[in-house]
Amino acid sequence: MTSLATEGACAFAWRNYLLLHSGISENDNRRSALYRYVASLRDAGEDDFDLLQVAAVAYLKKLDELHDDRCARLAADQILAECLESRCARPDT
């Protein structure tokens, strides 16, 4: 089952990616890889839209840098973990 958070995070990241990479097709394989990655986060219980957006953008960036899905997932997971850690460290207002 898809969620609005998954769909929205993927759409946000993909649109921004296309703005930066004008030669990329709307149906590029990276788009489906992005969706699989974000859906896996959602399936693992992450449903915070802001964090899913961060993870989606980080995944695409790392996929371009590393040219490997597994390495991009690991790098994006690390960025997501740092965001979660930072969020937990902030005092409640």
Side-chain angles (χ1 to χ4, degrees):
M1 179 177 196
T2 62
S3 74
L4 291 177
T6 301
E7 297 288 338
C10 288
F12 171 82
W14 189 247
R15 290 287 171 228
N16 283 291
Y17 187 79
L18 289 179
L19 288 172
L20 294 171
H21 302 87
S22 59
I24 303 295
S25 165
E26 181 73 30
N27 297 321
D28 190 89
N29 290 336
R30 285 168 276 214
R31 185 178 188 181
S32 57
L34 168 67
Y35 186 83
R36 284 190 304 273
Y37 172 65
V38 176
S40 73
L41 294 175
R42 178 68 179 97
D43 291 345
E46 183 55 63
D47 61 356
D48 184 288
F49 181 67
D50 294 334
L51 291 176
L52 290 175
Q53 282 183 310
V54 168
V57 170
Y59 172 77
L60 286 173
K61 183 175 192 256
K62 292 301 180 180
L63 189 59
D64 273 354
E65 290 174 7
L66 304 171
H67 306 287
D68 180 75
D69 179 66
R70 186 170 184 270
C71 291
R73 283 173 174 256
L74 291 172
D77 286 348
Q78 179 62 38
I79 292 167
L80 181 59
E82 290 169 7
C83 286
L84 284 168
E85 185 177 306
S86 172
R87 184 178 272 189
C88 289
R90 279 190 250 149
D92 290 337
T93 54

